[in-house]
Amino acid sequence: MECTFCSTPIPDDSVYCMNCGSRVSDADAQARASAALDASATLQMERRLKLAVAPEFKVGRRLGRGGMAMVYLATEVALSRRVAIKVLPPELNFGNVVERFRREAKTAAALDHPNIIPIYRISSGDPIFWYAMKYVEGRTLHDVVRERGRLPLKETIRILAPIADALDYAHARGVIHRDVKPLNVMLDTHGRVVVTDFGI
């Protein structure tokens, strides 16, 4: 069996995922709910998001989808700046999912480091749960390695050093990421490294 949130293999008799701490008893329901997010349900959720964030934000295209949430490019109207909005689909609002999503936003918002993505705003959860964060124009480390293969040692050190610095900063404040992987590391168009998804 695999954890619905982080895809870590877990024993069939486990109550919690050993990697991310998700309650395994929620796994079947989470998988069914995630599968139910077909094109129609996604479109409906996008409409609800646009209504929920208007007039402060104008929602654009979808940037990605994970096991628990979707991320959209948006514009913060008053400041004319691009942001990324992470939203929890209503179909996944059960069990400990909402609390984990809120904790993710609050945890990340409390960290102020140049290599940790900043959170700008957290919703009240009415009618849906979302938060707005800095939009990083670039690529994930996963995409870079998949395209280029093994990176030269000097470049690897250049990427790992700010990741280690960000994690050290977080650890000193009692925050453990627990899902450090290339998909959660962004390299912006200038090569700056940013760690994301500090909520697990």
Side-chain angles (χ1 to χ4, degrees):
M1 173 167 63
E2 284 189 354
C3 174
T4 304
F5 286 116
C6 69
S7 301
T8 299
I10 47 177
D12 290 337
D13 59 348
S14 293
V15 176
Y16 296 95
C17 171
M18 294 172 285
N19 179 52
C20 73
S22 293
R23 190 171 176 83
V24 176
S25 59
D26 293 342
D28 290 340
Q30 291 165 6
R32 286 193 302 273
S34 187
L37 283 170
D38 59 11
S40 175
T42 299
L43 189 60
Q44 183 179 5
M45 192 226 32
E46 288 176 8
R47 286 189 193 116
R48 291 181 73 183
L49 174 63
K50 288 176 181 178
L51 287 172
V53 302
E56 287 85 8
F57 298 94
K58 183 177 179 183
V59 178
R61 65 183 169 90
R62 188 170 77 188
L63 296 172
R65 174 179 176 175
M68 186 168 121
M70 294 185 185
V71 181
Y72 290 86
L73 179 62
T75 301
E76 188 173 4
V77 177
L79 299 175
S80 297
R81 70 174 170 186
R82 293 194 296 178
V83 300
I85 294 182
K86 190 169 187 177
V87 59
L88 180 66
E91 289 81 357
L92 296 179
N93 289 357
F94 61 87
N96 67 346
V97 177
V98 171
E99 182 51 39
R100 290 181 76 239
F101 190 76
R102 279 185 176 147
R103 187 172 64 231
E104 175 178 327
K106 288 180 180 179
T107 299
L111 300 174
D112 182 15
H113 188 277
N115 300 108
I116 296 175
I117 198 154
I119 303 298
Y120 296 143
R121 180 149 171 223
I122 302 171
S123 78
S124 64
D126 182 23
I128 56 176
F129 297 94
W130 59 269
Y131 64 83
M133 59 188 156
K134 181 177 182 177
Y135 169 64
V136 178
E137 189 170 357
R139 306 170 65 197
T140 67
L141 179 57
H142 172 82
D143 290 338
V144 171
V145 171
R146 188 175 58 187
E147 178 187 291
R148 294 177 50 197
R150 188 175 184 174
L151 301 178
L153 179 60
K154 187 174 181 180
E155 186 174 1
T156 301
I157 292 170
R158 184 192 67 77
I159 292 170
L160 288 178
I163 295 172
D165 192 48
L167 295 176
D168 182 59
Y169 170 88
H171 292 176
R173 284 150 186 80
V175 176
I176 298 175
H177 194 295
R178 293 183 66 188
D179 195 24
V180 180
K181 59 187 178 184
L183 279 170
N184 288 337
V185 175
M186 293 287 299
L187 278 71
D188 73 10
T189 52
H190 302 291
R192 190 169 68 94
V193 178
V194 182
V195 179
T196 66
D197 287 348
F198 256 87
I200 305 300

